Amino acid sequence: MGNKNKNFITQKEEGEVKRVMKENPEIKKANEEYEYLTGEEAERRIAFLREKAIKDEKSAILGAREEGIKEGRAEGEKRKQIEVVKKLLKRGMTIEEVAEISELEKEEIEKLIKKEKCR
């Protein structure tokens, strides 16, 4: 790190501070923290709320993504289960046998038969 980077806070020339911040992301972050700590109460509150909103949004997106993945897996498992039920019915198994193997309720299998015309 060059001498100019070490003394960025004491720089009087605003252009020099901006140049150093452009070249070094850590310096930019340090300057943002410095401004936050030395700023007015209202500015600190706004900065805090903005940071909180960003974190909340990221958390919501992550939660929605995880929920979507969970729903997708459940739907995929259900489709696979239906395909197995169809194959078992086509092989001539009774509804009771299919219910026992697939762990589906008889009523669910009967609805599937009507919907898909498996028999």
Side-chain angles (χ1 to χ4, degrees):
M1 188 180 303
N3 249 355
K4 289 182 180 180
N5 288 352
K6 289 181 182 176
N7 299 319
F8 85 97
I9 291 177
T10 61
Q11 288 290 327
K12 301 288 186 220
E13 192 177 315
E14 187 176 327
E16 184 64 21
V17 173
K18 287 182 180 178
R19 183 194 64 74
V20 171
M21 286 191 300
K22 243 184 208 179
E23 291 175 3
N24 191 326
E26 289 85 15
I27 297 290
K28 182 178 179 184
K29 180 69 176 164
N31 189 58
E32 289 170 357
E33 292 294 322
Y34 174 78
E35 287 177 3
Y36 170 77
L37 293 171
T38 59
E40 293 182 23
E41 181 63 32
E43 290 173 356
R44 283 195 301 269
R45 181 75 178 147
I46 290 169
F48 170 78
L49 292 174
R50 181 176 181 272
E51 191 171 324
K52 183 180 181 319
I54 290 169
K55 288 178 181 178
D56 289 348
E57 183 179 14
K58 286 180 181 178
S59 178
I61 290 169
L62 181 61
R65 180 179 295 138
E66 288 172 359
E67 184 62 29
I69 289 169
K70 189 187 299 183
E71 288 176 13
R73 285 185 178 145
E75 185 178 323
E77 288 175 19
K78 188 71 172 177
R79 284 183 184 172
K80 182 67 177 171
Q81 193 175 33
I82 289 170
E83 289 304 312
V84 169
V85 167
K86 286 180 186 179
K87 288 178 182 179
L88 295 174
L89 291 171
K90 284 182 182 177
R91 289 190 174 202
M93 290 186 142
T94 66
I95 291 175
E96 290 77 16
E97 291 170 323
V98 173
E100 184 180 331
I101 292 170
S102 67
E103 298 178 354
L104 291 175
E105 298 293 322
K106 286 172 36 175
E107 296 79 21
E108 211 172 338
I109 295 170
E110 289 168 350
K111 283 181 190 176
L112 180 65
I113 291 169
K114 288 179 185 174
K115 181 181 173 187
E116 302 288 330
K117 298 179 176 101
C118 292
R119 290 208 161 183

